[in-house]
């Protein structure tokens, strides 16, 4: 099984070009994030992507109308909800926007993994990220204990994120058998600044595993 790659937090055109080969490209619309981009920049980034790359818009506790507008303007392929969104909220989005949804679940223990079952009938994919604190919504650069996902089975596609980089990703994949890996801080020179070299090296490395 070939592992798919998601590069999240792309916020400049050069990094977008360097990300060719990644299956998913994450665009962050959460203003408190150092990786936040506006619609104008998002359009320029999208123009640098290959047609077969999946455009994912990341939102955190946003108003549904805002998500609807961004999704329409950018012709997003997937919506990623990375906040405290509940099933009722997701149900309302599904009624208005007919594109797949990724729900991020922050985890630290096996008990946290069970939360994903609540979203099984509402979301198309689940993303497991590191639980840091209630005010941190991804991109922390901190890994969780991958062993809590050892043997995990899910009837839909799922993703692991949180502190992944070229030095630990092989181990993370081996332990979790995750079908998709998501990287952000692990391909940056500093917080919010993507590295073209790290992106290219990571993609090549994972593709050759």
């Amino acid at each position: 099984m070939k592992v798919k790659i998601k590069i999240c937090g792309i916020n400049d055109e050069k990094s977008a070009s360097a990300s060719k080969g990644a299956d998913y490209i994450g665009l962050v619309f959460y203003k408190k994030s150092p990786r936040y981009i506006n619609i104008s920049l998002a359009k320029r980034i999208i123009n640098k992507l290959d047609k077969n790359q999946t455009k994912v818009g990341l939102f955190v506790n946003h108003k549904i109308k805002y998500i609807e507008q961004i999704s329409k303007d950018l012709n997003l392929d997937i919506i990623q909800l990375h906040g405290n969104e509940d099933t009722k909220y997701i149900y309302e989005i599904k009624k208005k926007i007919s594109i797949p949804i990724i729900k991020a679940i922050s985890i630290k223990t096996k008990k946290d993994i069970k939360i994903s079952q609540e979203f099984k009938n509402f979301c198309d994919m689940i993303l497991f990220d590191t639980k840091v604190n209630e005010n941190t919504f991804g991109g922390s650069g901190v890994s969780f204990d991958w062993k809590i996902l050892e043997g995990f089975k899910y009837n839909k596609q799922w993703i692991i994120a949180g502190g992944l980089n070229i030095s630990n990703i092989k181990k993370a994949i081996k332990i979790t058998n995750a079908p998709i890996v998501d990287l952000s801080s692990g391909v940056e020179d500093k917080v919010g600044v993507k590295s073209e070299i790290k992106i290219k090296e990571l993609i090549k490395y994972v593709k050759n595993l």
Side-chain angles (χ1 to χ4, degrees), residues 27 29 46 55-57 59 70-71 74-78 99:
L27 307 171
F29 299 102
I46 287 169
K55 306 181 297 295
V56 182
F59 303 91
I70 295 286
S71 301
L74 299 177
N75 193 28
L76 294 177
D77 300 305
I78 297 178
I99 63 174

Side-chain angles (χ1 to χ4, degrees), residues 140-185:
S140 66
V142 179
S143 300
F144 60 86
D145 181 3
W146 302 311
K147 288 182 180 179
I148 65 174
L149 278 173
E150 199 167 16
F152 176 75
K153 301 291 183 184
Y154 205 63
N155 62 351
K156 296 179 180 179
Q157 287 279 59
W158 56 282
I159 309 166
I160 58 166
L164 297 175
N165 56 57
I166 200 165
S167 66
N168 65 17
I169 198 162
K170 183 177 181 179
K171 183 178 180 181
I173 292 169
K174 184 178 180 180
I175 291 172
T176 65
N177 202 30
I180 306 169
V181 292
D182 186 324
L183 294 99
S184 185
S185 62

Side-chain angles (χ1 to χ4, degrees), residues 77-89:
D77 300 305
I78 297 178
I79 294 167
Q80 180 173 325
L81 302 175
H82 219 97
N84 303 316
E85 303 89 359
D86 58 17
T87 54
K88 183 180 178 182
Y89 177 97

